[in-house]
Amino acid sequence: MTNLRTRALPLTALLALTTAAFVTVLTEALPAGVLPGMSAGLGVGESAAGQAVTVYALGTALTAIPLAAATAAWRRKRLLLTGVAGFAVANTVTALSADYVLTMAARFVAGVAAGVVWALLAGYARRLAPAHLQGKAIAIVMAGIPLALSLGIPAGTFLGGLLGWRSAFGVMSAIAVVLLAWIAAAVPGRPGQAGGKTPVLRTLTVPGVGPVLAVTLVFVLAHTVLYTYVAAFLGHAGMGGAVDVVLLVFGIASMAGIGVVGARIDRALRTLMVLSTILVAVAAALLAVFAGSPVLVYVAVALWGLGWGGVPTLLQTAAGNAGGDAADNAQAMLVTLWNAAMAAGGVAGGVLLDAAGPASFPWTLLVLLLPVLAVVLGARRHGFPARS
């Protein structure tokens, strides 16, 4: 019976959306993997080149909500094709540009495209799947995130070292072009939001949306503080030469986490959200207390990845469920807060690094997860309901 129910999922279409998520995350993070070459190619310092990630995040954070409102009535396939075309153009310009300002403008456009794509992916996946498998459909699509982090970025970094950083962005453009054809051929169209636009501020009054957004903001902030500066923390722990292995363990564990969430989310979203928060908190406690033990650091990183891997899927699903008719607005707000939290986490982590040192990162993560757990447990009727 389970296999019959699973076969009802339109896997070819969902995997196209998974690839869109993969392209979105890899386009955002690729500059970090090719930073020295990009810096030299543009004739600027590495700190200036690193702003390619910041500008991308700003493009997403500043435009996701207004674009979601402006395109609410667009058919979903048309909007998705527009977003992916934006990646193709932006990555092509980045690959060819020798001008720093033009490159930053292209990165901002890529961030705008990301805001368009992220705001519709979860809702599109829900609309492609039967009601009893909507959570599983979102989990399949969100698998593009850990795939990009664990496989895409190392591959892009390797390609950049082998053929040059411009080639890495050129390959990203080629993937986007292939994806456009895939979407056009295999992804069914779906209408935009019924009844036109729903005011964004009204979405905040929908029961359950506020708790989900609050958890998103604080959880992502907490995670980013440690993840952004994980190399500094590992150096403090005497494992500076094992950053790549640690990130690989995190990526593999994240894939396992999203697998578990995908299998159970349609029946146990609340339980999974609570367990994910607890797993990451336990990982933070282990890293805070036992940073001197490489074995326990690997155990902690595995628990961290296992807990974190399914969080994007859980939060996207919870936002869609809570939002109801305003689900697309809720998703756009979630995307905006997610990127704002990432930017704030990078800044907060830098301040902590200078003021208290890398040992403060896991403690910060642990402290911030306490209100996250409290909100999840408190949102029993709406947001993270006891019954799906």
Side-chain angles (χ1 to χ4, degrees):
M1 183 66 178
T2 300
N3 289 337
L4 290 174
R5 289 161 69 89
T6 302
R7 279 202 294 269
L9 286 172
L11 285 177
T12 302
L14 290 174
L15 289 175
L17 301 189
T18 304
T19 306
F22 176 88
V23 168
T24 303
V25 173
L26 188 52
T27 298
E28 178 175 21
L30 185 57
V34 296
L35 195 60
M38 195 173 185
S39 169
L42 294 174
V44 297
E46 289 193 9
S47 60
Q51 298 311 304
V53 176
T54 304
V55 168
Y56 181 104
L58 284 174
T60 302
L62 293 175
T63 63
I65 290 176
L67 281 177
T71 60
W74 285 33
R75 291 190 65 82
R76 299 297 91 180
K77 186 169 182 175
R78 174 190 174 195
L79 189 56
L80 179 59
L81 287 169
T82 301
V84 175
F87 284 125
V89 171
N91 282 326
T92 299
V93 172
T94 303
L96 299 176
S97 172
D99 181 78
Y100 178 74
V101 174
L102 178 59
T103 300
M104 292 301 109
R107 292 293 296 171
F108 186 86
V109 170
V112 173
V116 169
V117 172
W118 275 132
L120 69 84
L121 275 182
Y124 207 160
R126 287 166 62 90
R127 295 177 194 181
L128 291 176
H132 66 284
L133 293 175
Q134 288 179 346
K136 184 168 289 186
I138 295 174
I140 290 172
V141 172
M142 292 300 118
I145 299 174
L147 279 173
L149 294 174
S150 61
L151 299 178
I153 292 174
T157 302
F158 175 77
L159 182 64
L162 187 67
L163 300 177
W165 68 275
R166 297 184 187 279
S167 296
F169 281 100
V171 168
M172 291 299 301
S173 296
I175 293 173
V177 170
V178 171
L179 180 58
L180 284 170
W182 186 356
I183 293 168
V187 178
R190 290 293 184 269
Q193 184 174 303
K197 303 174 184 177
T198 299
V200 172
L201 291 180
R202 187 181 300 170
T203 306
L204 287 173
T205 67
V206 176
V209 170
V212 174
L213 295 179
V215 167
T216 299
L217 178 64
V218 182
F219 207 151
V220 176
L221 172 65
H223 164 79
T224 305
V225 165
L226 179 56
Y227 189 83
T228 303
Y229 296 94
V230 68
F233 175 78
L234 291 172
H236 159 75
M239 298 176 62
V243 176
D244 52 349
V245 179
V246 168
L247 291 179
L248 179 61
V249 170
F250 179 86
I252 293 172
S254 294
M255 291 298 298
I258 203 169
V260 172
V261 166
R264 302 289 299 174
I265 188 171
D266 291 299
R267 297 183 298 276
L269 187 150
R270 176 182 175 82
T271 300
L272 289 168
M273 193 68 221
V274 171
L275 288 176
S276 294
T277 307
I278 291 173
L279 278 175
V280 178
V282 170
L286 287 174
L287 290 173
V289 178
F290 300 107
S293 169
V295 172
L296 289 178
V297 167
Y298 279 115
V299 170
V301 168
L303 292 175
W304 180 17
L306 187 62
W308 175 256
V311 167
T313 301
L314 291 165
L315 293 175
Q316 292 268 19
T317 303
N321 290 345
D325 291 339
D328 288 344
N329 278 349
Q331 299 290 354
M333 296 169 78
L334 185 146
V335 168
T336 298
L337 285 177
W338 192 290
N339 282 273
M342 287 180 63
V347 173
V351 172
L352 283 170
L353 182 62
D354 291 338
S360 64
F361 295 145
W363 288 112
T364 302
L365 174 57
L366 183 59
V367 169
L368 288 174
L369 287 179
L370 295 177
V372 168
L373 185 59
V375 172
V376 172
L377 291 174
R380 187 177 184 85
R381 291 188 61 191
H382 303 287
F384 303 97
R387 290 187 176 184
S388 301

